[in-house]
Amino acid sequence: MSEGPKAFVVGWPIEHSRSPLIHGYWLDRHKLAGSYAKLAIPAERIEEFLRAFAGQGFVGGNVTIPHKEAAFAIADVVDDSARAVGAANTVWMEGDKLVAANTDTHGFMAHLSVSAPDWRKAARPVTVLGAGGAARAIVHGLMSAGVPEIRIVNRTRRKADGLCAYFAPSASTLLRAWDWDRRSDALEDAGLLVNATSLGMVNSQPLDVDIQALPAKAVVADIVYAPLETDLLRRASGRGLTCVDGLGMLLHQAVPGFERWFGVRPEVTPELRQLIVNDLRSEKC
Ligand code: NAP
């Protein structure tokens, strides 16, 4: 019997990646022959690896920290999702060409629509905390969805300005950079708050933002998923706001890659979510 397509996730370090659990679950559920490996490759060897994986029998894979920008730069062809973000997390071969895409935008937007279907009903501004790679993917998705105003609030103001310059100009979305010390003010009248910083993650500093200014029907999304219920989401839930956690983004971003490598569009099920929740809990996150 054929061993089926081989895919991978590559990063440095890689021990804590949940991607093998996610793809392993879908392979089992769909009774597909195939495998998904976890590969630790340092920065100085990533180009060599990305150019040679097909020769090792892989059809493609996920690329994670710190290689997302390198994958984008090395690829022969980048799709619109990667070009918009300037980074890639999914790669595959088309003939002898290395192709790269970014599925973080899809992951965030898909999970937002499932968890808070009415998130844009009020057509209010969106406040995004952070201006790193994840923030860029999210801003791209929000702009594509036609959000009228996005406030980018980042500790390093230069990066917030840079993010605004990267995406502007857009006819439909006003993009504004805000100083970090005004992060609580930037929530006034906002319909959606997104934490796209690493603050609030286990072993990181807490996210110190006062959410009282958020309107009563606002949605609060945190892309940190360890812990699953961050302090931000706990406080938002205490105020009765709709909460969107970071795990759904992680699960949904894996869907397009699985479909490409293994030929079946998988679903993000409650059972899959529970599998990853249990794994996170086993690490006391
Ligand atoms: P990144 O490019 O390194 O950006 C990190 C962001 O956090 C920057 O805006 C940085 O601000 C800010 N930050 C870090 N420490 C801070 C501090 N002490 N005070 C204020 N701001 C601080 O990382 P990324 O790839 O965007 O990822 C950000 C987070 O999202 C990570 O926790 C990552 O695990 C998570 N993530 C989750 C998913 C998911 O599927 N749920 C997907 C991607 C990423 P400066 O610009 O000032 O440094």
Side-chain angles (χ1 to χ4, degrees):
M1 187 180 143
S2 145
E3 63 177 14
K6 282 167 57 182
F8 58 82
V9 57
V10 61
W12 182 266
I14 198 66
E15 305 89 73
H16 295 290
S17 172
R18 265 79 192 188
S19 294
L21 261 183
I22 299 170
H23 290 273
Y25 167 85
W26 284 328
L27 284 169
D28 277 357
R29 192 180 163 103
H30 293 284
K31 298 188 171 41
L32 293 171
S35 60
Y36 188 93
K38 186 154 77 170
L39 306 175
I41 307 265
E44 61 274 16
R45 284 185 31 228
I46 192 64
E47 175 156 11
E48 180 195 343
F49 171 75
L50 290 176
R51 298 233 168 266
F53 70 72
Q56 298 170 26
F58 289 111
V59 292
N62 288 120
V63 178
T64 188
I65 291 170
H67 303 319
K68 291 183 180 184
E69 281 81 12
F72 174 76
I74 292 163
D76 302 306
V77 179
V78 293
D79 81 351
D80 289 348
S81 63
R83 191 173 306 107
V85 178
N89 69 348
T90 305
V91 295
W92 66 94
M93 298 302 295
E94 280 182 16
D96 61 352
K97 303 258 186 263
L98 175 67
V99 188
N102 190 313
T103 64
D104 278 341
T105 301
H106 165 80
F108 179 78
M109 298 306 289
H111 180 48
L112 181 62
S113 338
V114 171
S115 306
D118 292 337
W119 70 272
R120 58 178 151 178
K121 221 174 181 177
R124 291 180 189 271
V126 174
T127 302
V128 175
L129 304 180
R136 216 187 265 209
I138 289 165
V139 167
H140 171 55
L142 294 170
M143 289 180 75
S144 304
V147 165
E149 179 186 342
I150 305 176
R151 301 165 180 167
I152 310 293
V153 193
N154 196 50
R155 172 181 62 175
T156 309
R157 171 63 191 246
R158 178 179 47 80
K159 290 198 192 160
D161 289 332
L163 192 150
C164 292
Y166 185 84
F167 284 109
S170 151
S172 53
T173 307
L174 182 66
L175 259 183
R176 283 246 168 91
W178 286 56
D179 285 334
W180 183 245
D181 59 10
R182 293 195 59 214
R183 56 195 177 280
S184 301
D185 302 335
L187 306 192
E188 204 164 303
D189 197 36
L192 169 65
L193 163 65
V194 185
N195 175 35
T197 72
S198 46
L199 294 174
M201 198 166 78
V202 280
N203 303 327
S204 174
Q205 292 170 34
L207 170 58
D208 174 18
V209 62
D210 182 348
I211 59 168
Q212 282 314 310
L214 281 173
K217 290 208 166 152
V219 174
V220 176
D222 199 333
I223 69 164
V224 168
Y225 59 84
L228 192 56
E229 187 183 49
T230 59
D231 174 62
L232 173 67
L233 293 182
R234 197 182 43 72
R235 287 186 288 124
S237 164
R239 265 203 58 194
L241 305 179
T242 303
C243 292
V244 178
D245 67 38
L247 180 55
M249 175 178 177
L250 180 77
L251 301 177
H252 281 278
Q253 65 77 32
V255 168
F258 186 91
E259 181 178 22
R260 179 162 295 282
W261 308 314
F262 301 113
V264 173
R265 186 140 185 112
E267 277 186 32
V268 173
T269 59
E271 188 185 33
L272 169 62
R273 197 183 145 83
Q274 195 56 49
L275 181 76
I276 308 301
V277 168
N278 293 345
D279 189 60
L280 288 167
R281 287 204 181 121
S282 72
E283 281 197 11
K284 297 197 172 51
C285 291

